[in-house]
Amino acid sequence: MNPPVVGSLPNMSNRRKNSDIAFLALLGITLVVFLVDINVIFLNTPIERSMGIVQKIFYFHVPSAYAMYIGAAACFVGSVAYFLSPTDARDAFAKAGAETAVAFGLIVLITGPLWAAKAWGRYWTWDPRLTTSLLSVLIYVAYVVLRSFAGDGQAEKKFAAALGILGAANLPIIHYSVQKWSGQHPVVIGNGGGGLDKAMYPALFLSLGAFTLLAAVMLWARTRLEISRARLRQLQDDALAVLPDGVAEGGS
């Protein structure tokens, strides 16, 4: 028996334990930041004059769009890395990124119309930013559906990776659509913004931090789960490979 292999088992166990502790710490920090953020939004941030309490949707809508970008960027990085050198970990990271983009993209598409109903008098308009955002979410929905129902072959994974790269190519279009094509969607941050009051910035920055942490938690959790599933499938395939044909067929 090879002693280094035996000796490596406790090290693997320690690394897994440390990883679990780090993940739980990140989860706890995320929860605390969200609690503080909600307190600041509803108790310490002034109410906007024209839209009233409805304007507080802003503190969830904008950060969720930012978190969608994080998920999309993760999917892009994982997809490109998978094309360069296919591994289960890279595929898992790309898939986790797509799922994160879908989750936060749906929040964007739900909170946006609720805010628009008060600001514009209707829930939806084919504004350039709204249209491109919807297109981006649909691309990542297609990625998730493909990975869920098309199998785990190399061809399916590479086709999904192509979707992940395509989805990322749409992100700059979303970001600059207001400047390039105008439309009704306001620019609330940066030059030409909608005049966001300075008293509202603490809540905004806290929300951006909270949603960033939540995106990191989702990416970490989903990546770990997908890697574990890939390892389990590999163990099952290895077990079936060493069984006699008759036993394998009988077991099936």
Side-chain angles (χ1 to χ4, degrees):
M1 182 173 293
N2 193 341
V5 174
V6 176
S8 67
L9 294 179
N11 292 334
M12 292 177 60
S13 177
N14 289 335
R15 286 197 298 269
R16 187 172 302 172
K17 183 178 180 180
N18 292 336
S19 178
D20 291 341
I21 292 173
F23 176 78
L24 291 175
L26 178 61
L27 186 62
I29 293 171
T30 303
L31 177 60
V32 171
V33 173
F34 260 103
L35 292 175
V36 173
D37 182 36
I38 291 173
N39 178 75
V40 171
I41 290 172
F42 291 102
L43 300 181
N44 298 328
T45 303
I47 297 176
E48 206 271 340
R49 291 180 181 178
S50 60
M51 287 185 289
I53 193 70
V54 175
Q55 185 270 342
K56 293 186 183 292
I57 294 175
F58 167 81
Y59 303 110
F60 302 93
H61 176 72
V62 173
S64 61
Y66 176 69
M68 182 185 76
Y69 282 18
I70 294 175
C75 182
F76 173 76
V77 171
S79 297
V80 171
Y82 186 82
F83 267 120
L84 296 176
S85 179
T87 66
D88 290 333
R90 293 174 178 184
D91 174 66
F93 188 64
K95 187 176 180 181
E99 292 174 349
T100 301
V102 169
F104 287 108
L106 291 176
I107 297 175
V108 172
L109 294 180
I110 292 171
T111 57
L114 293 176
W115 190 10
K118 179 67 175 179
W120 301 339
R122 50 182 172 173
Y123 287 99
W124 184 267
T125 178
W126 293 102
D127 176 270
R129 176 162 288 184
L130 272 63
T131 304
T132 51
S133 297
L134 176 61
L135 175 61
S136 188
V137 173
L138 290 177
I139 290 173
Y140 290 109
V141 168
Y143 182 109
V144 173
V145 171
L146 176 65
R147 291 307 314 278
S148 299
F149 298 103
D152 291 308
Q154 288 290 327
E156 291 83 357
K157 291 180 179 180
K158 287 187 176 181
F159 187 78
L163 281 177
I165 296 173
L166 175 64
N170 189 50
L171 297 182
I173 300 175
I174 297 174
H175 185 74
Y176 292 106
S177 58
V178 175
Q179 291 92 330
K180 297 298 182 182
W181 301 311
S182 186
Q184 292 181 277
H185 197 286
V187 180
V188 292
I189 302 175
N191 295 330
L196 190 67
D197 191 274
K198 291 183 179 180
M200 298 177 178
Y201 276 108
L204 173 61
F205 291 141
L206 266 174
S207 293
L208 289 171
F211 275 79
T212 298
L213 289 171
L214 182 57
V217 168
M218 293 177 65
L219 284 170
W220 193 344
R222 291 299 301 155
T223 300
R224 291 179 61 180
L225 179 59
E226 290 302 321
I227 291 175
S228 297
R229 286 178 174 174
R231 289 174 178 171
L232 179 58
R233 287 193 298 268
Q234 185 62 47
L235 289 173
Q236 291 173 336
D237 292 341
D238 292 343
L240 291 174
V242 299
L243 289 175
D245 292 340
V247 176
E249 292 175 1
S252 62

